Amino acid sequence: MDLASLHAIVVGGATAGAAAALLLARAGARVTLLERVADPRAVGAGIALAENGLAVLESVGLGPAIAAVGTAVGRPRIVDGAGRILLAPPGPPPRGLMVRRAALQRLLLDAVAAEPGITCRFGAEVVASDRAGEVVVETAAGVERVRGDLVIGADGVHSRLRAAGDHGARVSKPGIAYLRALVTGVVARGEEAWTAAGLFGSFAVDGGTYVFASAGSRAVRRALDARDLDALRAAWADAYAPAAELLGAVARWDDLLINRVTRVRCARWFDGRQVLVGDAVHAMAPNLGQGANSALVDVAVLLDELRAAATMSEAFARYQRRRQPAVAWVARTAARLGGLAELTHPVARWLRDRVVMPLAARRAGDAGMASVLQEPTAALLAIGRA
Ligand SMILES: Cc1cc2nc3c(=O)[nH]c(=O)nc-3n(C[C@H](O)[C@H](O)[C@H](O)COP(=O)(O)OP(=O)(O)OC[C@H]3O[C@@H](n4cnc5c(N)ncnc54)[C@H](O)[C@@H]3O)c2cc1C
C-alpha cells in the first residue's frame, strides 16, 4: 500500500502508541496521536528492553538515547530463597537493557514531538470508535469526531477500542499481584528469587535499583492492607534475606506500586479499519518481560504488512497471522512461569526446583530464545529503517 496517502489515528501515547506513530510517520503516513492524559508521565518503575524491543527502537534512531539511560541486565538468573541457582541458561547473555519507564516514555514522546508528520493531542480521550475509522474524542474543549483511514488501538489493557469493536476478547485475572519500586542507590542483586513467598527480583537501573516482588503471601497481604512498610520488609526478609536491604531502601509507602496481572486474548486483532496493538490486544503476565517488547514488535510488523499488502484488510489479516501465534506462545509461557514462581507448598516447590527447573534449563537454549523474541532482530531493524 502507498502509506503516503494514509491518515492513521493512533489512540494511546505510551510505548505501543508512540512507537506506532513514529514508525508510520517515518514511513510517510500522516498521523494523529490521541492520548487521554494531558501531561503524560509514565507510571511504573523499571522496564527490561529485550533484543526485539531494542531493535524496533534502534530502527527509528533511538538506539544511542536508550543506551545512555539503560543499564545492561546481564545473564538472567533465577535462584531459590537461599540463593541456590535454579535456572541460569548457558551461553552468552542475551542483550537486554533495564530502563526507567519515565525515561523510555520521555524519549519516545520527544521523538514524536520532533516528527513533522505527527499531530499530537494530549488530554484527548477516545470515548467511542467504529469499524469505519471514526473515533469520538473528548477534550477540555468538548466532543468531536475524527476520521482516519486506519485507527490503531494502543490504549492499553482496559482498551476502549477493544470494547467498541468485534475482537472476541477474553480478559482474565490469574489472581497474582506484584509490587514494584524504584529505589535510590545500586543495591540490586541482578537476580530473580523464587521463594516460599513468591518471587522477588532486583536489577540495577540508571543509578538506582528496580525492585519487584509478589504480593500474594498472607504476611505480605497483611502488610499491604495495613500499609505497613516495616511489616512488609519483615515478611519478605523471612523468605529471602536480601529483601531486608532492598526493601529497606524504599523510603515511603507511596513509593510502592501494586499491579494485578491481567491477561487479554483476542480472537480477532482487527475489525474493519480498526486494529489493536500492545496490551490492548495481548496484555500478559510480566514474567518473561515481554509485554512492552511485544508491543514494539507489533507495530513494526503492522508497518511491514501495511507496506506489503494491496489493501488494508489484507494487511491486517497478515499482521494477525504473523503476530497472534507468536504472542500466544509468549503469553502462555509467561503465565506458566508466573504460576511456577508463585508456588508456596513445600512439596510443589521441591518438585519445581528439583525436576521442572532442570528440564526448563535444558530447553532454554537458542530455540527458546527465538520464540521469546518472536521476530528476527535483523528483520525488525530493517522494517523501521526502510
Ligand atoms: C509488574 C509489571 C512489570 C512489567 N515489566 C515489563 C518488562 O520488564 N518488559 C516488558 O516488555 N514489559 C513489561 N511489562 C508489560 C508492559 O508494561 C506493558 O506490556 C506495556 O506497558 C504496554 O504498553 P501499551 O502502550 O500497549 O499500553 P499502556 O502502557 O497501558 O499505554 C496505554 C496508553 O493509552 C492511553 N489511553 C488509554 N485509554 C485511552 C483512551 N480511551 N483515549 C486516549 N488514550 C487512552 C493511556 O493513558 C496510556 O498512555 C510489565 C507489566 C507489569 C504489570
Side-chain angles (χ1 to χ4, degrees), residues 12 14-16 35-36 47-48 101 124 126 154-156 180 278-279 289 291-293:
T15 311
E35 164 56 53
R36 74 170 166 203
I47 192 152
R101 267 175 200 262
V126 171
D155 52 344
R180 297 184 287 163
D279 273 14
N293 288 295

Side-chain angles (χ1 to χ4, degrees), residues 38-324:
D39 175 20
R41 279 171 302 150
V43 287
I47 192 152
L49 291 170
E51 176 121 18
N52 50 355
L54 283 170
V56 177
L57 295 168
E58 285 164 1
S59 77
V60 287
L62 290 177
I66 292 285
V69 296
T71 305
V73 176
R75 184 183 297 284
R77 175 172 90 222
I78 298 176
V79 300
D80 67 10
R84 283 182 295 257
I85 301 266
L86 297 179
L87 186 73
R95 204 157 70 98
L97 280 185
M98 190 61 81
V99 295
R100 292 172 187 261
R101 267 175 200 262
L104 175 62
Q105 179 78 353
R106 181 174 35 77
L107 289 178
L108 280 166
L109 289 181
D110 284 354
V112 160
E115 191 60 46
I118 305 175
T119 304
C120 283
R121 299 188 54 190
F122 297 111
E125 178 166 10
V126 171
V127 292
S129 66
D130 68 22
R131 61 194 311 280
E134 187 170 90
V135 297
V136 180
V137 191
E138 248 177 44
T139 65
V143 175
E144 65 186 283
R145 289 169 189 277
V146 185
R147 183 172 283 280
D149 298 304
L150 74 158
V151 178
I152 299 179
D155 52 344
V157 63
H158 304 295
S159 172
R160 254 322 207 318
L161 270 73
R162 184 181 70 230
D166 176 22
H167 294 284
R170 273 189 300 152
V171 179
S172 57
K173 291 184 193 286
I176 297 175
Y178 293 109
L179 48 94
R180 297 184 287 163
L182 274 175
V183 302
T184 345
V186 184
V187 286
R189 308 272 304 177
E191 68 189 19
E192 195 172 291
W194 289 9
T195 77
L199 74 76
F200 195 110
S202 59
F203 290 89
V205 57
D206 196 19
T209 297
Y210 171 38
V211 176
F212 53 92
S214 305
S217 77
R218 199 170 298 160
V220 170
R221 273 188 282 130
R222 264 203 305 271
L224 292 179
D225 288 344
R227 294 173 60 84
D228 183 340
L229 205 44
D230 286 334
L232 179 70
R233 290 177 185 131
W236 261 111
D238 276 351
Y240 177 57
E245 184 190 11
L246 289 158
L247 290 177
V250 177
R252 298 171 313 140
W253 184 265
D254 288 337
D255 293 340
L256 291 172
L257 296 162
I258 298 162
N259 289 95
R260 280 174 210 295
V261 174
T262 303
R263 272 189 82 181
V264 172
R265 279 160 277 196
C266 289
R268 291 171 290 282
W269 286 34
F270 62 98
D271 180 20
R273 290 179 176 272
Q274 170 171 300
V275 63
L276 303 177
V277 295
D279 273 14
V281 66
H282 57 58
M284 63 179 80
N287 304 77
L288 273 178
Q290 272 296 320
N293 288 295
S294 301
L296 290 166
V297 177
D298 290 345
V299 298
V301 170
L302 179 61
L303 169 61
D304 202 29
E305 297 300 354
L306 282 166
R307 277 200 187 110
T311 63
M312 190 85 69
S313 55
E314 185 196 335
F316 288 174
R318 290 169 61 138
Y319 160 69
Q320 172 171 339
R321 270 202 302 277
R322 196 159 145 195
R323 294 299 296 135
Q324 196 178 34

